[in-house]
Amino acid sequence: MVRFRFRRVLGTVAAAITVASMGAVLNAQPAAAADPGPQRVVGGSTATQGEFPFMVRLSMGCGGALYSPNLVLTAAHCVGSTGTNTSITATLGVVDLNSTSKITRKSNYVYRAPGYTGAGKDWALIRLASPVTTLATLPIATTSTYDTGTFTIAGWGAATEGGAQQRYLRKATVPFVSDTTCNSSAMYGGEVIATDEICAGYTAGGVDTCQGDSGGPMFRRDSANAWIQVGIVSWGDGCARPNKPGVYSQVSYFSANIRSAATSLGG
Ligand code: 4AZ
C-alpha cells in the first residue's frame, strides 16, 4: 500500500514540475496551432471541445471536476492542508490548455478531507475566488447505484507511463473491477480500501489514467443519461500495466461528507 501510494505521490510531484517547466514552451506556441487529433495515450483519444464541460486543470498538475460554480472536486493528495489558499489556478472551459478562450480562476480556500493521511479519504474541494457560471457542473453519485459498469476517464495527464503532460484533454473508457478482483493476489493483494476506493481498468492493461490525471473525475451516464461522477483519480501501480487497474476514490461513499463540506464553503 505504502509503496504504491508513495510512488503515486512522487508521480504527481514530478508531473507538477513537468507542468511548471512546460509552461514557457506551451505559452510560446501559437494559439491557432492545429489539434494533433486522436493520440494513442493510455489507450484513449482526444476529447472534443465542450464534450466534458466540467473538466478542470489545476496548476499543481492535477485534474478536477466542477462541482458547483465556485467549487472544484479533486483529490486530497493534490492539495495541502485545509485553509486559505490563493496559490492554485484552475483552468476551465477548454480542451486546449493554450486556448485563448480558456477560463481561469484563482483559488481562495482548500478543504481537504478530514483524517486524510495518504491512505483513502482522497478527496478535497477547492473554492474559486469567483464563480464560473457558464459551464455545466458534474453531479456526484449519492448512492452506489452507478458504482459499476463502464466508466469514462479524462485528463491532461501523461499519455504513457513516465511521459509528458498533455496540452489537449484526453478521454478513455474503462470497465469496473470488483474489490475482490482488485484485491486479489494477481492485482493489489489487499492494498485497496474496499469501502472507499473503486477500481477500473482492463486485466490486460492498455487503458488507464496516469500521472497528472490525479484528482480528475471518473464518471458515467445515470438513468436519465446525464453524466454523474463515481470516482476521483487516486493511485495505481504505474499506468495501464496488466493486472494493475486504476484506483479511484469512491465518491458515493463520501457523498454526504462532500455535500456538507460544500455547504460549509458556501458552494
Ligand atoms: C498519478 O501519479 C497517477 N494508473 C494517477 C493515476 C494512476 C497512477 C498514477 C493510475 O497522478
Side-chain angles (χ1 to χ4, degrees):
M1 176 184 294
V2 171
R3 183 162 61 99
F4 297 154
R5 291 172 190 282
F6 185 56
R7 179 181 304 181
R8 182 270 327 276
V9 171
L10 285 178
T12 301
V13 171
I17 293 166
T18 303
V19 167
S21 61
M22 277 178 70
V25 175
L26 285 173
N27 290 335
Q29 290 173 347
D35 184 313
Q39 301 165 46
R40 203 229 170 287
V41 291
V42 291
S45 59
T46 307
T48 60
Q49 178 60 38
E51 187 174 8
F52 307 121
F54 42 76
M55 287 298 303
V56 181
R57 178 64 171 180
L58 297 168
S59 54
M60 84 293 280
C62 278
L66 194 64
Y67 172 86
S68 73
N70 66 342
L71 293 176
V72 175
L73 181 59
T74 188
H77 82 262
C78 288
V79 302
S81 54
T82 296
T84 298
N85 184 321
T86 59
S87 69
I88 301 167
T89 300
T91 300
L92 310 91
V94 289
V95 296
D96 176 3
L97 295 177
N98 259 5
S99 171
T100 53
S101 51
K102 69 187 179 186
I103 297 168
T104 60
R105 292 289 188 276
K106 284 290 191 183
S107 62
N108 67 13
Y109 197 85
V110 161
Y111 182 95
R112 190 173 63 183
Y116 171 75
T117 59
K121 301 184 178 68
D122 197 7
W123 66 270
L125 288 167
I126 296 171
R127 190 172 63 195
L128 305 177
S130 66
V132 175
T133 58
T134 55
L135 294 172
T137 57
L138 181 60
I140 60 171
T142 57
T143 72
S144 57
T145 303
Y146 300 111
D147 292 353
T148 187
T150 301
F151 304 126
T152 297
I153 49 178
W156 290 269
T160 57
E161 186 175 327
Q165 298 293 292
Q166 298 295 297
R167 170 176 170 179
Y168 296 95
L169 179 65
R170 293 182 294 78
K171 62 172 180 177
T173 57
V174 283
F176 169 75
V177 175
S178 74
D179 290 329
T180 300
T181 299
C182 203
N183 261 332
S184 67
S185 56
M187 291 189 175
Y188 288 115
E191 310 285 341
V192 174
I193 302 169
T195 50
D196 79 44
E197 294 177 329
I198 184 170
C199 300
Y202 293 94
T203 304
V207 185
D208 199 5
T209 44
C210 200
Q211 288 85 5
D213 292 322
S214 275
M218 178 169 79
F219 46 99
R220 54 159 287 172
R221 299 282 190 178
D222 68 11
S223 59
N225 205 38
W227 292 121
I228 190 166
Q229 183 170 0
V230 300
I232 299 169
V233 181
S234 183
W235 63 281
D237 186 5
C239 307
R241 297 182 186 184
N243 283 304
K244 299 297 177 186
V247 186
Y248 299 79
S249 302
Q250 192 160 349
V251 166
S252 63
Y253 181 73
F254 298 111
S255 62
N257 304 276
I258 294 169
R259 189 192 305 221
S260 63
T263 301
S264 74
L265 292 171

